[in-house]
Amino acid sequence: QVQLVESGGGLVQPGGSLRLSCAASGSIFNINTMNWYRQAPGKQREFVARITSGGFTNYADSVKGRFTVSRNNAQNTMYLQMNSLKPEDTAVYYCNADIRRRDGYAANYWGQGTQVTVSS
């Protein structure tokens, strides 16, 4: 089994910062691209940031210059450093990854999400 677990969400004031983590565990052979998505109340889930196994990144226009995605391949962990947070960043943030298990099975996995609320 493979599991993705997000952490680090919470309540922060506008202009503040948070760092989210996504830890993958289980019978993992390798992890390809890892992504962050978010879903605000009443809205569709949207792409936030992506990082490949080689470290290439790209971002949604709405977070460019404020969010930074990184990963630690040795620990199967991805991070999202969020700075200059705005109320419109309020959402549940989800981790997503393409993972190949040791038995050869490959699939796309989702975490359960972590709530980020930006409010004064």
Side-chain angles (χ1 to χ4, degrees), residues 10 42 48 56 91 110:
V48 175
F56 292 101
W110 289 90

Side-chain angles (χ1 to χ4, degrees), residues 65-79:
R66 300 188 298 121
F67 291 10
T68 302
V69 60
S70 61
R71 64 191 282 175
N72 182 322
N73 289 331
Q75 297 184 353
N76 291 333
T77 303
M78 176 178 62
Y79 305 96

Side-chain angles (χ1 to χ4, degrees), residues 6-106:
E6 302 95 335
S7 61
L11 173 64
V12 63
Q13 291 187 342
S17 299
L18 280 176
R19 189 190 194 211
L20 305 183
S21 299
C22 168
S25 62
S27 181
I28 296 171
F29 178 71
N30 67 6
I31 303 176
N32 197 353
T33 299
M34 301 185 79
N35 309 282
W36 286 102
Y37 285 80
R38 66 186 182 186
Q39 187 167 18
K43 295 188 177 181
Q44 290 190 331
R45 192 171 296 188
E46 64 176 4
F47 168 77
V48 175
R50 172 179 297 122
I51 184 166
T52 69
S53 57
F56 292 101
T57 61
N58 66 300
Y59 300 89
D61 287 343
S62 59
V63 307
K64 277 181 184 176
R66 300 188 298 121
F67 291 10
T68 302
V69 60
S70 61
R71 64 191 282 175
N72 182 322
N73 289 331
Q75 297 184 353
N76 291 333
T77 303
M78 176 178 62
Y79 305 96
L80 186 68
Q81 178 66 44
M82 305 186 294
N83 298 329
S84 302
L85 282 161
K86 304 175 182 179
E88 52 263 43
D89 295 317
T90 296
V92 177
Y93 283 71
Y94 295 92
C95 173
N96 170 269
D98 295 320
I99 298 174
R100 181 173 297 278
R101 299 187 325 204
R102 290 196 182 100
D103 63 4
Y105 177 75

